Amino acid sequence: MRRRIAFFGSPAWAVPVLEALARAHDVVLVVTQPDKPRGRGLKTQPSPVAQAAERLGLEVVKPRRLRRDAEIADRLRALDLDAAVVAAYGQIIPEALLAIPRYGFLNLHPSLLPKYRGAAPVNWALIHGEPETGVSIMRLDAGMDTGPVFVQERAPIEPGETAVELSERLRDRGTQLLLEVLERLETWEPEPQQGEPSYAPLLKKEDGRIRWDEPARKVYDRHRGVQPWPGSWFEHGGKRVKVLEMRPVDGQGQPGEVLEVGPEGVRVAAGEGAVELLAVQPEGKRPMPAADWARGHGVAPGVRLGGG
């Protein structure tokens, strides 16, 4: 059965969700964030979802503040919606809108709710070294990711998986589950969340700072979790150096101490074990092999790198 749906989403991550919905159902309105300066030239551009919606021939609105937009509720009511779907929209949906669609607002959330409620569930699952996570299809209520859940599916986290890779994998599986829920809205009642909640706030620049005193595995887990932004970084010579690639290795020394500058990378001691920096990007410079950076900046065994 084809449903009448409004879609709320903004980044590139949400585009495949919109495309799948448009193939299976009637997406009668797309709500996305306003145009913003993007890229090197900071030219004002529409969100990736807005660009996809235009390509698909779908109507788009871009309210600056959803809570303050007096017309959006009337517009949604006039559409006779079966449901609205939210996938990384970027604004909180006001409570006044939640009851407008016949079956409410459905959200694709990449965690096993109530774990990791909030804006960055995949990132924090990796940072905290979780062995598994999952995806939930839930119905929004007035709280922050507190609504009842239609379905959840667990997913193991692969050893070297980054936040980008894991979030895309969860999104793709979540899209399939979302389509199944939409088919059975008349008979599928969501159930209250069970368990102890945890939270996943938006990442800050400081979350990417390498904590050398932590075990190497935790340093590496944080590195995987802060991709693509803010990325892992440390300070040397008063400048920030971004780590593009690293791996945990054997080694022992004072946290942050350079143990070896070898042909493949720079081995640095952690609180337990060590990590090997493979590729870095110094502040204001292009990416380069970590060993080249070290040799060019006098970084040799015994040097302590800043960070934490």
Side-chain angles (χ1 to χ4, degrees), residues 234-237 241 256-262 266 280 282 288-305:
F234 62 90
E235 291 178 345
H236 180 71
V241 180
E257 177 188 356
V258 174
L259 302 176
E260 179 187 5
V261 178
V266 179
V280 300
M288 64 180 66
D292 291 353
W293 167 80
R295 285 189 283 267
H297 289 78
V299 175
V303 169
R304 293 284 292 274
L305 303 179

Side-chain angles (χ1 to χ4, degrees), residues 134-208:
V135 62
S136 303
I137 307 299
M138 60 171 290
R139 177 177 286 156
L140 290 184
D141 63 10
M144 172 63 76
D145 297 328
T146 57
V149 172
F150 287 95
V151 62
Q152 289 186 337
E153 186 167 291
R154 295 180 177 275
I157 296 177
E158 301 299 331
E161 205 165 24
T162 67
V164 175
E165 294 162 342
L166 178 57
S167 65
E168 290 179 353
R169 180 159 66 91
L170 294 175
R171 174 205 62 204
D172 292 347
R173 180 55 185 146
T175 301
Q176 295 172 3
L177 294 174
L178 174 65
L179 293 174
E180 292 175 19
V181 171
L182 286 169
E183 284 293 323
R184 297 167 50 192
L185 278 174
E186 288 86 356
T187 58
W188 199 337
E189 277 300 316
E191 298 182 358
Q193 296 180 24
Q194 302 290 330
E196 189 69 25
S198 61
Y199 297 91
L202 277 172
L203 294 177
K204 307 183 295 295
K205 188 77 173 179
E206 181 66 11
D207 291 319

Side-chain angles (χ1 to χ4, degrees), residues 1-7 15-28 56 58 82 85 175-185:
M1 176 185 294
R2 294 186 71 88
R3 309 287 188 183
R4 291 178 60 81
I5 293 172
F7 181 78
V15 169
V17 187
L18 172 60
E19 291 173 337
L21 287 171
R23 286 192 295 269
H25 298 284
D26 298 324
V27 179
V28 293
L56 293 167
L58 305 176
D82 291 307
V85 170
T175 301
Q176 295 172 3
L177 294 174
L178 174 65
L179 293 174
E180 292 175 19
V181 171
L182 286 169
E183 284 293 323
R184 297 167 50 192
L185 278 174

